[in-house]
Amino acid sequence: VCSSDLRLAARLPSWLLRWWRMGDEDMNFGNELILDLQGCERDKFEREHLAQFFRGMCSLLEVERGPLHFWDYEPDVESRRQAPQNLAGVSAVQFISTSNITLHTLDHGGRVYLNIFSCGVFSAKEATEFCLGFFGGEVVTSVMLARR
């Protein structure tokens, strides 16, 4: 190990240092939380509220926010009202310094489908509690995956 490697290692966050020292067979390339909620507050499904959600989640995860992209019915709100139940909602992708957060809402049943994928370490419990505090509702599915 050369001295420049040691100087670099001294500045790395602890989770990254552990990752750097692993062999490929032990390597965890990230964690993904898959979270399905129902009975959520549908007024939170508008762009301004969802942008607030992403800001809060990124703060909780301690990650830098990149571009936020929406796919929805704006400005044609009437189309959203006439859309089939399985399509009426908003999709959004928040790019983050360590990967992305993807969210889909469905107006029918106040449903939220969320994926958080990050190369960093985060608490599924804290992320879930944040989502419930923001959207209300209840957890239908919660799965934490180690991506190898």
Side-chain angles (χ1 to χ4, degrees):
V1 177
C2 70
S3 62
S4 63
D5 286 345
L6 293 175
R7 283 193 304 270
L8 173 64
R11 293 192 316 254
L12 293 175
S14 59
W15 67 267
L16 187 54
L17 188 56
R18 285 192 307 273
W19 174 81
W20 187 34
R21 290 179 177 158
M22 287 184 202
D24 281 347
E25 66 281 354
D26 299 321
M27 207 173 270
N28 178 349
F29 290 97
N31 297 296
E32 183 170 11
L33 174 62
I34 302 168
L35 187 62
D36 300 344
L37 307 175
Q38 70 180 11
C40 299
E41 300 171 29
R42 293 190 334 207
D43 63 324
K44 300 285 180 84
F45 294 179
E46 302 303 325
R47 283 184 179 202
E48 66 186 68
H49 294 291
L50 294 175
Q52 179 184 358
F53 167 79
F54 285 115
R55 284 191 298 274
M57 181 60 76
C58 289
S59 178
L60 175 73
L61 299 176
E62 298 180 353
V63 295
E64 182 180 336
R65 293 175 59 233
L68 171 59
H69 297 278
F70 288 96
W71 183 267
D72 57 14
Y73 292 91
E74 288 203 12
D76 187 10
V77 184
E78 188 57 34
S79 292
R80 184 171 175 175
R81 285 191 198 104
Q82 295 175 4
Q85 288 182 351
N86 65 326
L87 298 178
V90 177
S91 294
V93 177
Q94 171 69 69
F95 290 96
I96 59 176
S97 56
T98 57
S99 202
N100 65 67
I101 304 169
T102 306
L103 180 135
H104 305 282
T105 69
L106 284 180
D107 296 344
H108 177 70
R111 300 172 195 272
V112 171
Y113 302 98
L114 179 77
N115 293 68
I116 301 172
F117 181 66
S118 176
C119 299
V121 176
F122 67 94
S123 166
K125 181 178 185 282
E126 289 177 8
T128 300
E129 288 171 354
F130 178 82
C131 291
L132 290 172
F134 188 88
F135 292 110
E138 63 183 351
V139 175
V140 176
T141 306
S142 177
V143 178
M144 184 70 151
L145 301 173
R147 305 307 296 260
R148 300 191 187 277

